Amino acid sequence: MRTRRPRQCGVSMAEPVPRQWLACVAILLPFAILTCLPLICSGTLLGQGILVLHDPPQPVPLPRPIPLPQPVQVSYRIQELAIDAHVEDQAARVQMTQTFINTSSYPMEVQFVFPLPPDSAVDRLTFLVDGQEVPGKLLPADEARRIYEQYVRRLRDPALLEWLGQGMFRTSVFPVPPGGKRQVILRYQQLLRRQDRLVHLHIPLATARYTSKPLEKLSVNISLACTSKLKNLYSPNHAVTIRRADAQHAHVTYQATDVVPTTDFQLYFDMDAGPLSASLVSYRPNDSEDGYFALLAAPDLGTSEAMIARKTVVLVVDRSGSMNGKKIEQAKEALRFIVNNLSQNDLFNIVVYDSEVELFRPELQRYNEESRSAALAFVDSIYAGGSTNIDSALTTAFNMLRHASGPQYVLFLTDGLPTVGERNELRIAANARQNNQSRARLLAFGVGYDVNSRLLDRLTRENNGLSVYVRPDEDLEQAISLFYNRIRAPVLTNVVIDIHIEPNGYTGGQPVNRVYPRHVSDLFAGEQLVLVGRYRYAGQGKVTIRGQLGSMEKSFEFPVNFVSKSTDHRYNFVEKLWAVRRIGEIIDELDLHGKNDELIRELVELSTKHGILTPYTAFLAEEEGRRQLARNQALSDRASSIADQLRVTEGSLAFEQRLAKQAYMRASDLSGPAAGGFGGFGGSTGSFPGVPSAALPAHPGNTSPAASQLGLRQVGNFALYKQGDIWVASNARDVDPLRDERAIQKIARFSPEYFQLLERTSPEENQLLAAQVPGEKLLVRLQGTVYMIE
């Protein structure tokens, strides 16, 4: 079939292709570029691509005076995208399978163009359509660049720009009949890159972000087999499920339905024969500012039972009248689960309280079959009734631990406010801090909307613990059981982490700062520590992790490197993860210590730069709110608003605020917790007065479609904000497009100057340019210069 003139189908070569056409194609094959002119979508790196129609259907010319027909739109829908990979040490075999249907009444002739990732070592690449191999050709980066630029010039759309500088695999043309279904399979082998002790698997998914309809089903299944012990396993952008068969094998899965992928799938892992492994990655986009780092640490999964620390657990459970019914039954089930899953020779006790405090036994009990049976009988006898004496219950629990040794945990559960005994929030917290002589970790579970959530956060912050909140409609027993499984096997206890850098031109001072979490006490089997922070000096260094392993004091050293300036954005997720954690810490400071204008400014700055919306910065999704902020009219009002909201200590608003805060503070990746979503709003955004629910994304790693409509888009580590008819990149937000015209260089999109600029831009900057929708203006800083792309 021959390609007809574009004007005959209603599209001029001087006009941009409607991006809704791009959208319907983008999701078709997120692992290749199916060329179908003038339809096109964007894709990214290995595993994704674009569909381009080589012979678009044309309307049949009709005699006058009948009106000319409208352009024919070809569309399709995706049924499933399945990614299966097997990794042996650094060798990966990947298969990507996608099933799609041509939903139009016209045939399509399509071609796959598959961008290769930078620094990739790919071979034995095979492409199948309905089981039949379709020939293709690997093109080097310079030849691929010319093809990418041709697509951009011809289609008048910048979506392909992010692939400039990458190689390409391009297939021959194959047909898709009207209503036809095609299953396409891409298979390849790849040698994975190892850097900073971490092996990196990258499977792009972000092509589908241009889709007008969500992907029906997305599945990722990765099996890993290593000759050495597999330690850290980390995905920065997706909430993966990890199942470890033994110390050398693991299975990583990710499932989603009705989803629009906005970020690529990445998996990092390391291997180490020792009892502990730690790997550090650093990212420094600007060498004049402090850089960012993330430290991953994981103990050996195969740690022997003899090396697992004997722990002390005190279970403190509210049995007041408000716990009556379903809540007390679920609490008793949680107690049974923990009692049945303590380790031999652990020490434990149970404290139940209402107006009075009752103990299972007067002193700590050693766990064995006899004490287990007696404890279960005690749990059976618990009933609800009376008031709530929180202060007395905690005093009893902490006093029981005064002479205990080893790791100690107080699991504290309540569903209400202190109603008898000491009721003042600050005095209850001070008493707990004073009585906790053994520095036990307090793990608090707040059940339902009636708890004083600020009190729980204050208690856990001052006692080296954390708060977990369970909504009224959630299963309390499941929440407590899942959490206990994470801490049941402490391997390295009383942990101390030292980071040492040997920089050139060292001038003194702390090499790292603003490190989160603030306190690390224990490392558990099957769990992974994700520590993030900022660093001041570049250079080689070492991380020393000290602690008690069994009965012995142990020290482990790991070489690390803090880069002076990052040459790519491979680890750019570290910057945003640090920003998420820092936002959580700021909100916690404001919550527990009151209004602070300097912290408010930092909160707004981080939210603006990274597009991370909180209940207190949701105004950034509204144009008028950003204009007021730019005129310095909004900051004091916003500070007062935050202080007012955080003064609420009970009810659904207080509950959701603290749930959101904890989610930010404990973020281990940019996907958000599996339950409730990041931001913790869980569909309850209406409880925040004056905050548009559309402005609150499901988690801080992505922007919701509704937020985009309000004027916010997420692009990598940057955000785009709408200001009139201009989208302003967060890296150019200090420039007013109306008043600072002299500081702005204007360039016409797709002009010779535009393509000359592309020869100098970085891949991360190309991402910003690729996000520009045809017909829009973009204000952006590139290579230090502010441009208006029109």
Side-chain angles (χ1 to χ4, degrees):
M1 299 177 67
R2 300 287 184 180
T3 302
R4 296 175 178 84
R5 295 176 59 190
R7 176 54 92 180
Q8 292 178 333
C9 67
V11 178
S12 167
M13 294 303 289
E15 299 170 347
V17 176
R19 191 165 276 197
Q20 63 267 27
W21 288 18
L22 313 183
C24 71
V25 180
I27 200 166
L28 171 57
L29 210 69
F31 58 79
I33 306 174
L34 269 162
T35 41
C36 51
L37 300 174
L39 282 135
I40 187 155
C41 72
S42 113
T44 181
L45 302 183
L46 194 58
Q48 283 206 57
I50 299 176
L51 171 70
V52 184
L53 180 62
H54 267 256
D55 198 355
Q58 310 296 329
V60 178
L62 298 174
R64 297 173 183 258
I66 299 176
L68 292 175
Q70 296 298 312
V72 174
Q73 296 193 19
V74 179
S75 63
Y76 63 88
R77 66 181 177 89
I78 301 299
Q79 289 188 319
E80 181 178 3
L81 170 62
I83 298 170
D84 297 279
H86 179 69
V87 179
E88 294 184 8
D89 292 331
Q90 289 179 248
R93 298 196 309 271
V94 181
Q95 175 172 297
M96 304 180 185
T97 305
Q98 186 162 345
T99 304
F100 67 93
I101 300 173
N102 178 0
T103 56
S104 70
S105 56
Y106 297 91
M108 296 191 300
E109 298 241 338
V110 299
Q111 180 182 42
F112 278 81
V113 177
F114 171 36
L116 300 176
D119 303 322
S120 65
V122 175
D123 65 1
R124 298 182 62 179
L125 198 151
T126 305
F127 186 74
L128 305 173
V129 178
D130 291 342
Q132 300 296 315
E133 184 171 349
V134 174
K137 181 180 180 182
L138 281 169
L139 303 176
D142 54 350
E143 186 175 350
R145 182 186 182 95
R146 289 194 297 271
I147 295 174
Y148 288 133
E149 286 194 7
Q150 288 173 7
Y151 288 150
V152 172
R153 292 176 190 272
R154 184 167 50 183
L155 302 171
R156 315 295 290 178
D157 190 285
L160 297 176
L161 293 179
E162 59 187 282
W163 294 317
L164 293 180
Q166 298 173 208
M168 173 191 295
F169 172 80
R170 185 169 61 173
T171 73
S172 60
V173 176
F174 62 92
V176 184
K181 179 188 291 189
R182 287 285 185 266
Q183 182 187 73
V184 293
I185 298 175
L186 182 65
R187 295 174 182 156
Y188 62 90
Q189 294 187 4
Q190 181 179 10
L191 180 63
L192 303 180
R193 180 180 180 180
R194 183 168 185 166
Q195 182 178 346
D196 301 315
R197 291 173 45 90
L198 288 168
V199 180
H200 181 207
L201 173 66
H202 188 156
I203 301 177
L205 301 174
T207 295
R209 68 181 176 268
Y210 295 110
T211 182
S212 59
K213 294 181 180 179
L215 184 65
E216 289 185 18
K217 183 179 180 181
L218 170 65
S219 63
V220 179
N221 293 278
I222 302 170
S223 62
L224 297 102
C226 301
T227 53
S228 186
K229 292 181 178 180
L230 184 61
K231 292 294 199 315
N232 287 292
L233 265 172
Y234 179 68
S235 177
N237 296 312
H238 294 83
V240 297
T241 299
I242 299 174
R243 296 197 304 275
R244 295 176 182 259
D246 54 40
Q248 295 169 280
H249 296 84
H251 188 212
V252 179
T253 59
Y254 173 75
Q255 306 284 335
T257 58
D258 297 322
V259 64
V260 178
T262 58
T263 56
D264 295 341
F265 182 89
Q266 300 186 67
L267 185 69
Y268 295 89
F269 63 93
D270 64 13
M271 298 164 282
D272 196 302
L276 178 73
S277 179
S279 296
L280 184 143
V281 296
S282 59
Y283 179 67
R284 196 174 194 176
N286 188 335
D287 56 7
S288 64
E289 298 177 0
D290 287 3
Y292 305 85
F293 72 88
L295 173 69
L296 308 178
D300 189 355
L301 180 69
T303 302
S304 66
E305 189 67 24
M307 298 301 290
I308 299 295
R310 299 305 97 190
K311 61 184 178 294
T312 301
V313 180
V314 178
L315 306 168
V316 185
V317 178
D318 186 347
R319 66 173 182 188
S320 62
S322 59
M323 287 286 292
N324 194 33
K326 182 179 179 181
K327 283 191 285 189
I328 194 66
E329 293 305 318
Q330 288 185 346
K332 290 166 68 173
E333 283 299 318
L335 286 174
R336 294 185 185 101
F337 176 86
I338 294 175
V339 169
N340 281 320
N341 286 277
L342 290 168
S343 299
Q344 196 72 14
N345 292 322
D346 279 349
L347 295 177
F348 78 104
N349 209 341
I350 303 173
V351 178
V352 292
Y353 68 97
D354 45 32
S355 307
E356 305 296 330
V357 176
E358 182 182 358
L359 301 178
F360 161 53
R361 293 285 170 82
E363 57 188 19
L364 294 171
Q365 299 294 295
R366 190 163 301 279
Y367 185 73
N368 52 39
E369 185 57 34
E370 180 183 352
S371 61
R372 184 187 74 87
S373 298
L376 291 175
F378 177 78
V379 171
D380 290 338
S381 70
I382 297 173
Y383 61 91
S387 302
T388 309
N389 194 337
I390 289 176
D391 183 65
S392 183
L394 288 174
T395 297
T396 301
F398 285 129
N399 285 339
M400 198 180 304
L401 297 171
R402 284 183 181 273
H403 304 294
S405 60
Q408 302 153 45
Y409 309 99
V410 175
L411 273 64
F412 172 71
L413 183 149
T414 183
D415 78 329
L417 309 172
T419 55
V420 295
E422 182 59 69
R423 304 181 192 180
N424 181 273
E425 176 185 322
L426 293 177
R427 284 196 289 269
I428 292 173
N431 290 341
R433 184 174 62 252
Q434 180 178 353
N435 291 319
N436 188 8
Q437 298 294 314
S438 62
R439 297 185 58 79
R441 295 189 67 182
L442 177 61
L443 311 171
F445 292 84
V447 184
Y449 294 144
D450 295 330
V451 296
N452 183 331
S453 51
R454 188 175 66 188
L455 169 61
L456 295 191
D457 282 2
R458 193 182 299 277
L459 285 167
T460 56
R461 182 180 177 101
E462 295 179 359
N463 292 278
N464 196 24
L466 56 86
S467 306
V468 177
Y469 293 103
V470 184
R471 292 190 176 92
D473 58 344
E474 293 178 334
D475 189 326
L476 172 61
E477 185 271 332
Q478 182 182 37
I480 295 176
S481 302
L482 287 173
F483 183 82
Y484 176 75
N485 274 333
R486 295 174 54 192
I487 66 168
R488 63 184 301 179
V491 175
L492 194 68
T493 61
N494 299 323
V495 171
V496 176
I497 299 176
D498 291 323
I499 299 177
H500 177 71
I501 308 175
E502 299 178 356
N504 296 323
Y506 177 71
T507 57
Q510 292 295 324
V512 298
N513 57 83
R514 291 166 287 176
V515 178
Y516 308 113
R518 291 177 177 271
H519 303 288
V520 178
S521 297
D522 310 313
L523 297 180
F524 303 92
E527 285 294 301
Q528 178 173 267
L529 170 68
V530 181
L531 188 82
V532 297
R534 305 290 300 269
Y535 67 92
R536 187 160 300 159
Y537 309 106
Q540 301 294 319
K542 66 179 179 181
V543 169
T544 303
I545 301 179
R546 302 193 306 274
Q548 189 163 341
L549 183 66
S551 60
M552 301 175 291
E553 293 290 332
K554 287 287 186 178
S555 180
F556 306 89
E557 292 186 357
F558 304 92
V560 296
N561 177 44
F562 293 86
V563 297
S564 57
K565 182 175 173 58
S566 296
T567 57
D568 57 37
H569 58 283
R570 181 184 306 273
Y571 298 136
N572 66 352
F573 67 86
V574 178
E575 177 183 0
K576 190 163 188 177
L577 181 59
W578 178 86
V580 171
R581 292 256 189 104
R582 176 59 184 162
I583 282 175
E585 289 289 330
I586 291 173
I587 296 173
D588 195 46
E589 287 285 340
L590 296 171
D591 187 15
L592 302 183
H593 301 113
K595 180 179 174 181
N596 182 309
D597 288 343
E598 184 176 349
L599 289 178
I600 297 291
R601 290 190 185 92
E602 186 180 356
L603 174 62
V604 172
E605 170 66 19
L606 287 171
S607 297
T608 304
K609 179 178 180 180
H610 298 286
I612 303 171
L613 298 185
T614 71
Y616 322 108
T617 56
F619 70 96
L620 293 172
E622 299 172 335
E623 185 172 344
E624 182 55 31
R626 294 192 300 274
R627 288 184 181 276
Q628 290 178 0
L629 186 64
R631 295 193 296 265
N632 295 318
Q633 296 175 356
L635 196 57
S636 60
D637 292 341
R638 299 296 171 184
S640 298
S641 172
I642 294 174
D644 289 343
Q645 291 191 58
L646 288 172
R647 271 196 286 268
V648 181
T649 61
E650 57 188 275
S652 61
L653 172 59
F655 182 99
E656 296 294 343
Q657 286 188 95
R658 274 82 195 191
L659 182 64
K661 178 182 68 174
Q662 291 293 330
Y664 284 109
M665 292 175 67
R666 302 205 304 269
S668 59
D669 54 52
L670 298 177
S671 70
F678 244 134
F681 307 116
S684 300
T685 54
S687 61
F688 291 96
V691 180
S693 60
L696 301 175
H699 54 77
N702 294 334
T703 304
S704 67
S708 181
Q709 292 174 6
L710 284 171
L712 170 63
R713 291 182 192 156
Q714 204 80 52
V715 183
N717 273 9
F718 297 102
L720 297 177
Y721 297 96
K722 192 163 191 206
Q723 187 170 325
D725 61 346
I726 302 171
W727 284 88
V728 179
S730 54
N731 68 357
R733 63 190 185 282
D734 57 326
V735 177
D736 189 319
L738 300 179
R739 293 187 290 185
D740 300 331
E741 289 192 20
R742 292 185 179 180
I744 300 172
Q745 183 173 338
K746 294 185 177 180
I747 288 184
R749 193 164 46 172
F750 312 127
S751 65
E753 294 78 13
Y754 180 82
F755 286 98
Q756 290 173 7
L757 176 64
L758 294 178
E759 296 177 359
R760 306 191 303 272
T761 50
S762 68
E764 194 166 29
E765 290 172 331
N766 288 340
Q767 277 189 319
L768 281 170
L769 292 174
Q772 186 177 10
V773 173
E776 295 178 347
K777 296 180 181 179
L778 174 65
L779 185 72
V780 60
R781 179 175 272 108
L782 304 170
Q783 302 293 303
T785 301
V786 178
Y787 293 92
M788 177 73 78
I789 312 294
E790 300 178 313

